[in-house]
Amino acid sequence: MARFTFVYIWICVTISMISGASAAFGITGIQSGRGSDGSVPLRLEIRQLQKNVPQWNLYILALKRLEKFTDQTTLLSYYQIAGIHGRPYVPWDDSQPAEGQEDWGYCMHGITLFPTWHRPYVALYEQILYGIVQTIAQEPPFAGRSGYASAASTFRVPYWDWAQSPPSGQQSLPSAVSGSEWIMMSLPNGTFPVANPLYQYRFNPLTPSDFPNALFNEWNNTLRAPTSETADATSQNDLVAAELTSSQTSYRATLMNLFQVNSTYGPFSNTEWNPGEPNEYNSVEALHNNIHNTMGSGGHMSYPDYASFDPIFWLHHANVDRVFAIWQALWPNSYVPSSQAGSGTYTITEGQTLDENTPLAPFHKDSSGNFWTSASVRSTGTFGYSYPELLYWKYSRPGPYTTAVKKAVNAAYKGSGVTLRRRNSTEKKPTPKYQSIRTYIASGFRSVHKSPKENPQKEGHDNTYQEWIANIRVAKYALEGSFNVYIFLGDFNPNPTSWALDPNFVGMHSVFANNMSTQHEKIVTGTVPLTEALEKDTEAGKLVGDSLSDIDAYLTQNLHWRVAKVDKTEVPRSDVSSLKVSVISVPVTPAERDDEFPCWGNFEVHRDITTGRPAGLGEDDQA
């Protein structure tokens, strides 16, 4: 029956649409490939999937067929599925807009449902691709070939891990995504070039009335960092790859901070500002925004209305879902709380009460029209997949499982400040001028914090260090579209086109927004970790000293921030009245084992570093 899965679904939906029947399309995930031990197939990092030649071939050919050979007016076409996220603002699967919300997409951003809404969205994409994979596996030259039947049965969509250090000699952006419009395929009947469906999506045809914004109604295919603001612009994938690689250290440190500090779902889930809580500026959505803005750089990925048409959207959001699933394993007792929507969507009005039972429209779980909810999508196993770090079926108790996940996370992202191991007692300590900031800052910390009872550090440690973080908050619609706040430590080139590659660039906070100039001043937040940049400057001899006041003075003199739109046009800080940049620090005790996380203490806001500077947090501003 597997060979007919996709065709059967397609026929049923088409007949329903033609006949006017009201049956909804049920997103069920993929239930094949489950093991007798409760195991489910894994979504793999895209570079790992490439090593499985049969599965890679099926994936590329299935995506190519979905993009190119399916009528984009049909419900399950690539165009219609991508169009759920934003434009063209039309009902999908008969899920109608709330009153007054017709000028929004379905995507849920800036609210607590951000992680849970995208889970069935990616599952829908995966389910449709899986159906096409089954069909292709039974066609020449794959039918009867060794490995293809099992590869088809266990197929799941890949993710792109933008936080993990890429393989030696490679950049963060996989070459399969960005290298060429053509990709060489090693098929059973030979090696052939195939149009690369990961490189771009070509509209077939482009319908200008669906995309009213200038340029997007002229570009016939998706673009990344367009070369110009003209209809014949092309992508600059090499530039995007270089900028992603430049930010990779920041992504990794931000992700580890997220896993270790954000123990409650609300702050973890989205960018909405929680006044008076400087330790809650980081979120999975904020980190996700950075990838969107860098990948798009003025192209499709940098705007919610158009992002999902770029094929890399699905690799990115599979990874966002993986981050969410890992966080769930680390903090299993916290989930979607009751809250008010800070902004609206196609089906949600601003101020509406949200909770784990709010419908995740337009995603139906069955043909009767029942919607998925956050409560019903809590487990990835419901949709028939998991991730390499999350082999939950091997554990009968939650404690050992969480410990195993911590070990896997540490192994994947080792090198970030919060995972550095304690120095060996026999290791020769460097002189104070050049020693690691994570060691010598400890002396400043201990001179301020007298007793372990005042902070949750473990007794007996002599190498507690201080973690330093830049907090950024700003109105989401301040610039009527997406923009970035760049953080530097030291002098930098004044040309904004070079900022993301500047030697003193530390990281950036990205605001991912459509042109909503009439919206209220919704404040969003993000962070840029500073500790590794400070350590780098210490090793270079730029930062000299062994006290907290030395670090404070160094940041006061050398920390800089600037604002630019996603097309690299600089915006004066004085023009963004809602922008506030601040610096916080926190004492951290490193973990003793590779299956533990460090112990974080109390956060302190260093107002003196930013007071009196353009867009800096002042003495009277709320943190």
Side-chain angles (χ1 to χ4, degrees):
M1 289 296 293
R3 64 186 296 183
F4 301 110
T5 301
F6 176 71
V7 175
Y8 173 76
I9 292 173
W10 195 275
I11 290 174
C12 286
V13 172
T14 303
I15 290 174
S16 173
M17 293 173 67
I18 293 174
S19 65
S22 59
F25 177 74
I27 301 170
T28 60
I30 306 168
Q31 303 309 317
S32 70
R34 292 179 180 270
S36 57
D37 59 352
S39 61
V40 293
L42 303 178
R43 289 180 179 174
L44 300 176
E45 212 278 336
I46 183 171
R47 296 177 181 91
Q48 291 300 312
L49 185 69
Q50 277 187 275
K51 297 177 182 179
N52 183 329
V53 175
Q55 218 158 49
W56 177 254
N57 286 342
L58 293 172
Y59 167 57
I60 292 296
L61 295 176
L63 182 55
K64 180 174 180 289
R65 185 172 296 188
L66 178 62
E67 289 181 6
K68 187 174 182 179
F69 298 112
T70 53
D71 182 350
Q72 67 180 35
T73 65
T74 59
L75 184 73
L76 300 181
S77 65
Y78 185 92
Y79 186 86
Q80 293 289 325
I81 293 172
I84 291 170
H85 199 263
R87 292 286 180 182
Y89 298 169
V90 295
W92 189 85
D93 203 18
D94 201 32
S95 181
Q96 299 299 318
E99 184 177 355
Q101 296 300 113
E102 296 84 0
D103 292 332
W104 292 80
Y106 286 104
C107 66
M108 297 188 182
H109 290 266
I111 57 178
T112 54
L113 305 185
F114 165 75
T116 55
W117 184 87
H118 285 84
R119 178 162 286 172
Y121 192 25
V122 177
L124 165 63
Y125 168 79
E126 183 172 59
Q127 181 176 331
I128 301 307
L129 263 188
Y130 177 86
I132 303 175
V133 162
Q134 306 316 300
T135 301
I136 292 175
Q138 296 300 320
E139 296 174 348
F142 307 112
R145 295 282 184 170
S146 175
Y148 277 87
S150 61
S153 176
T154 58
F155 171 78
R156 300 295 186 269
V157 295
Y159 62 89
W160 163 43
D161 186 357
W162 25 255
Q164 190 169 13
S165 298
S168 178
Q170 297 184 30
Q171 291 189 313
S172 180
L173 186 63
S175 59
V177 173
S178 61
S180 172
E181 292 186 48
W182 294 87
I183 189 170
M184 296 302 296
M185 303 284 291
S186 298
L187 305 177
N189 57 339
T191 300
F192 304 96
V194 173
N196 186 356
L198 295 169
Y199 187 85
Q200 63 187 11
Y201 169 65
R202 185 170 294 278
F203 298 98
N204 186 30
L206 176 67
T207 307
S209 59
D210 282 354
F211 302 153
N213 299 94
L215 296 178
F216 291 98
N217 55 21
E218 300 180 56
W219 288 332
N220 289 306
N221 52 266
T222 55
L223 293 174
R224 302 163 187 162
T227 52
S228 66
E229 294 185 353
T230 61
D232 60 354
T234 58
S235 291
Q236 300 180 82
N237 278 292
D238 289 345
L239 174 61
V240 170
E243 292 187 352
L244 287 164
T245 300
S246 176
S247 291
Q248 191 270 327
T249 297
S250 181
Y251 298 155
R252 173 171 42 80
T254 302
L255 181 60
M256 287 300 287
N257 291 358
L258 185 66
F259 285 147
Q260 295 169 5
V261 178
N262 293 55
S263 60
T264 54
Y265 178 90
F268 163 83
S269 67
N270 73 103
T271 55
E272 189 166 21
W273 179 38
N274 187 4
E277 298 293 341
N279 58 315
E280 295 184 354
Y281 273 52
N282 195 8
S283 68
V284 65
E285 184 184 15
L287 184 52
H288 140 279
N289 290 351
N290 283 2
I291 308 302
H292 269 286
N293 282 10
T294 302
M295 278 303 311
S297 293
H300 292 74
M301 269 289 279
S302 49
Y303 296 100
D305 273 352
Y306 304 104
S308 51
F309 290 100
D310 190 323
I312 204 169
F313 173 93
W314 305 100
L315 293 167
H316 172 39
H317 269 279
N319 194 50
V320 171
D321 181 74
R322 168 176 162 269
V323 169
F324 175 32
I326 290 173
W327 182 90
Q328 288 181 278
L330 295 171
W331 307 102
N333 297 322
S334 182
Y335 202 51
V336 182
S338 178
S339 62
Q340 277 63 54
S343 58
T345 73
Y346 197 63
T347 57
I348 289 176
T349 57
E350 184 180 328
Q352 177 180 329
T353 298
L354 308 175
D355 58 29
E356 65 176 19
N357 296 311
T358 302
L360 301 177
F363 307 125
H364 296 113
K365 63 189 301 185
D366 52 44
S367 60
S368 298
N370 295 305
F371 286 106
W372 286 103
T373 65
S374 297
S376 58
V377 304
R378 189 164 186 168
S379 170
T380 62
T382 300
F383 294 105
Y385 70 89
S386 190
Y387 296 100
E389 301 87 354
L390 304 175
L391 309 181
Y392 57 83
W393 54 87
K394 292 186 175 183
Y395 301 89
S396 58
R397 294 182 295 113
Y401 175 51
T402 299
T403 297
V405 173
K406 287 181 179 180
K407 184 173 183 177
V409 167
N410 283 335
Y413 304 110
K414 60 185 177 182
S416 65
V418 291
T419 59
L420 288 180
R421 301 294 304 280
R422 188 164 62 148
R423 288 182 181 273
N424 187 295
S425 60
T426 61
E427 183 182 350
K428 182 179 179 181
K429 303 294 192 299
T431 60
K433 181 176 181 180
Y434 298 105
Q435 68 189 98
S436 167
I437 190 171
R438 294 186 178 87
T439 299
Y440 80 71
I441 287 183
S443 61
F445 161 71
R446 290 200 177 280
S447 68
V448 176
H449 303 284
K450 307 294 185 182
S451 169
K453 293 181 181 180
E454 297 176 15
N455 290 278
Q457 274 73 45
K458 298 178 181 179
E459 295 189 51
H461 281 263
D462 60 358
N463 68 330
T464 301
Y465 70 91
Q466 206 81 359
E467 192 74 28
W468 295 82
I469 300 168
N471 274 358
I472 304 102
R473 74 169 187 260
V474 67
K476 182 172 182 176
Y477 303 106
L479 299 183
E480 302 181 8
S482 297
F483 61 95
N484 301 311
V485 179
Y486 295 79
I487 301 295
F488 305 91
L489 198 55
D491 295 334
F492 57 94
N493 190 320
N495 184 348
T497 63
S498 69
W499 285 350
L501 299 176
D502 193 276
N504 289 329
F505 170 68
V506 181
M508 70 184 188
H509 167 57
S510 296
V511 175
F512 182 51
N514 290 319
N515 185 345
M516 295 287 183
S517 58
T518 61
Q519 293 302 305
H520 72 283
E521 195 174 79
K522 176 183 174 64
I523 303 297
V524 293
T525 65
T527 66
V528 174
L530 302 174
T531 311
E532 291 195 55
L534 288 168
E535 184 175 40
K536 178 182 175 182
D537 284 1
T538 301
E539 294 170 348
K542 297 179 182 178
L543 169 55
V544 180
D546 61 357
S547 69
L548 286 176
S549 61
D550 291 323
I551 311 303
D552 197 288
Y554 187 79
L555 288 171
T556 300
Q557 182 176 354
N558 293 282
L559 185 69
H560 304 287
W561 51 91
R562 293 294 187 272
V563 182
K565 296 182 179 181
V566 287
D567 64 359
K568 309 295 175 61
T569 301
E570 183 175 7
V571 178
R573 290 166 292 175
S574 58
D575 289 356
V576 191
S577 60
S578 60
L579 177 62
K580 295 294 179 183
V581 177
S582 57
V583 174
I584 61 174
S585 69
V586 56
V588 179
T589 301
E592 295 180 310
R593 303 182 345 185
D594 61 5
D595 58 1
E596 294 179 339
F597 281 166
C599 187
W600 290 61
N602 299 323
F603 287 77
E604 178 182 356
V605 180
H606 296 263
R607 297 174 182 272
D608 55 307
I609 294 175
T610 54
T611 293
R613 303 176 64 184
L617 188 78
E619 291 295 341
D620 298 326
D621 293 324
Q622 193 167 20

